Amino acid sequence: MEIRKANVQDVEKLKEIGKLTFAETFSSENSEENMNEYLENGFSTKKLTAELTDQNAEFYFAELNEKTIGYLKVNVGQSQTEIKDKNALEIERIYVLKEFHGKKVGQILYDKAIELAKEKNVKYVWLGVWEQNPRAIRFYEKNGFKAFDKHIFKLGNDEQTDIMMKLKLNGKKPAANNVYS
């Protein structure tokens, strides 16, 4: 498996994996009307092109045998959806095709987000996760995230509660960079 940074030429591939993974994850708990509205607006070519050209947002694809099987979106600075802290990185999305759940793809994308956060020298990473997605909540808790607040996410006309979670980074350099004489 390869992790590759996406660019504006990947807009159609991003639209396809974005719609597919979002629908796989949330269709069973939401109305068809609300899902269709969100998929059309949230993954429009115009919106995704703007996000792909935003200098404070980055997308990464997980690819296996040249097939996109998942993706990551991170935001910094003013592109963060809630907290606009220059010392923070937001993981806005980690989505993996259902057939690859349990195969460490999400963990590899998550690890890439943490690597980016350390490269950007931020103090913490934060995200929002739907309160009715226990699998994702457990995943982030296992990786050290703690709930600190809630916010409303609108899916069509349905207001849903996301749990906001945070992971403080310790700021220590890896041991290999420490030189002792």
Side-chain angles (χ1 to χ4, degrees):
M1 187 178 67
E2 180 185 336
I3 302 298
R4 176 177 73 82
K5 188 173 183 180
N7 59 50
V8 74
Q9 286 77 32
D10 294 310
V11 69
E12 289 304 315
K13 190 179 283 193
L14 179 58
K15 182 194 278 191
E16 182 183 336
I17 190 70
K19 283 183 168 186
L20 184 55
T21 54
F22 194 88
E24 281 185 345
T25 305
F26 300 115
S27 286
S28 63
E29 290 90 16
N30 291 283
S31 75
E32 187 176 343
E33 182 180 66
N34 283 340
M35 282 298 296
N36 288 339
E37 181 184 329
Y38 186 82
L39 291 173
E40 286 310 307
N41 296 327
F43 296 98
S44 71
T45 301
K46 181 179 179 181
K47 184 175 190 304
L48 293 177
T49 299
E51 291 177 356
L52 282 163
T53 56
D54 179 349
Q55 65 185 17
N56 290 318
E58 295 178 35
F59 288 88
Y60 291 84
F61 289 141
E63 297 177 328
L64 183 64
N65 301 325
E66 298 182 26
K67 176 185 178 184
T68 304
I69 61 172
Y71 76 105
L72 162 71
K73 181 183 184 209
V74 297
N75 302 312
V76 294
Q78 292 304 304
S79 294
Q80 294 173 85
T81 57
E82 296 269 328
I83 305 167
K84 312 278 188 191
D85 186 339
K86 66 179 176 23
N87 291 311
L89 177 136
E90 174 190 18
I91 297 176
E92 186 177 350
R93 300 184 197 134
I94 294 179
Y95 285 103
V96 176
L97 290 173
K98 205 167 237 163
E99 69 183 280
F100 292 96
H101 284 188
K103 295 185 166 67
K104 306 287 184 213
V105 179
Q107 187 66 49
I108 291 166
L109 289 167
Y110 167 82
D111 291 344
K112 179 65 178 178
I114 298 303
E115 175 189 317
L116 292 166
K118 288 178 179 176
E119 284 173 11
K120 295 172 188 308
N121 206 26
V122 298
K123 291 185 173 34
Y124 65 95
V125 178
W126 72 274
L127 53 89
V129 59
W130 189 27
E131 67 181 356
Q132 293 185 42
N133 190 347
R135 189 173 186 276
I137 293 167
R138 280 193 309 274
F139 173 82
Y140 291 116
E141 286 174 343
K142 180 185 76 149
N143 280 289
F145 278 76
K146 304 273 187 249
F148 71 95
D149 203 352
K150 293 184 177 188
H151 71 177
I152 298 300
F153 176 82
K154 279 195 69 116
L155 185 79
N157 63 8
D158 187 19
E159 289 191 350
Q160 302 179 351
T161 303
D162 278 359
I163 298 169
M164 294 173 71
M165 302 180 83
K166 181 188 288 190
L167 174 71
K168 290 182 182 165
L169 301 176
N170 62 17
K172 292 179 187 166
K173 298 284 182 215
N177 291 349
N178 295 334
V179 178
Y180 299 100
S181 49

